[in-house]
Structures are given as structure tokens and as C-alpha cells.
Amino acid sequence: MGSENLIPMDQRSEDEVRELGAKGGKASGAARRRKRSLKDAADLYLSLPVSDRRRWNKIARRGIDPEDVDNQMAMIIGLTEAATQGDAKAAKIIVDLLGDTANNSGDAIEDDPVTKSLKETIDAVTETDQNS
């Protein structure tokens, strides 16, 4: 509908191309800063201590060091509980997290037979869920 209004870049003047490029670069930088600020906010929130006293006590009773009881730990515990109750997506997220951690440290997690078996099981369950 509006494509007839578009002018190709090779048909624009050098100044116009430069100006449009500068606008695009500024918009890209702004988007990148917004994304980084969102990531920083998520990192900050996840590092905060758990504010709900009952949830904090529940996590501490599991043997977690009190200074490690934060929102990130609560999230990992929630994922683990969901995975042990059969949630294939939660199990896949945990395996992916463990794989990323091991790969970053230089360990070959893909060679571990237990991890291979777990991934195969998760993939099979995920395929079954998708086919249902």
C-alpha cells in the first residue's frame, strides 16, 4: 500500500543517505541501551533477597546458605520443582542452563552419558507434548 512512496537508497542524494544512516544509528543505539537497561534491571531484581518471609524460610530449610537466598535461587528452585513433577520445558531450561555453564567453563557436558540420556528423555517428552 505505501511501498510506492519508498525511494531506494541508490536514488537518494549522499547527504540524504548520510542523514538517514545517522538517524538509524541513533535509533539502534537507543534500542540497544533500552535492552541493556532491561537486562540490568532483571539482573538487579534477581540478585535481591527474597522478600516473602515464608518463601525465604522454605528455601532456607532446603539447606541453602542464607546469603544465597535471593530471587534467582527461588527461580531455580521453582524450575527444579516443576521439572521433577514432569514439566518437560522446565527440565529443558535446567539442562540448557547447566550446559551453558559447563560449556563456558570448558567442560564437555555433551560427552557426559547422564546428560545425554537426560537430554534424549527431555527431547522425547517435548516431542510427545508437541504432537499431542
Side-chain angles (χ1 to χ4, degrees), residues 24-103:
K26 289 175 185 174
S28 172
R32 197 170 36 254
R33 282 189 296 280
R34 273 194 311 274
K35 185 176 180 182
R36 183 177 57 232
S37 120
L38 184 60
K39 183 180 185 295
D40 290 345
D43 286 342
L44 173 66
Y45 181 76
L46 289 173
S47 68
L48 293 174
V50 173
S51 58
D52 181 24
R53 180 56 80 193
R54 281 185 278 188
R55 184 180 296 154
W56 191 95
N57 288 333
K58 183 179 177 182
I59 294 170
R61 280 194 302 269
R62 292 175 177 259
I64 305 297
D65 188 9
E67 66 184 41
D68 290 335
V69 178
D70 59 7
N71 289 316
Q72 185 173 358
M73 182 62 70
M75 188 176 72
I76 295 298
I77 289 171
L79 279 170
T80 304
E81 287 176 349
T84 57
Q85 293 175 4
D87 185 339
K89 289 180 182 179
K92 182 153 180 43
I93 290 169
I94 291 171
V95 169
D96 289 346
L97 285 171
L98 291 172
D100 287 347
T101 302
N103 287 338

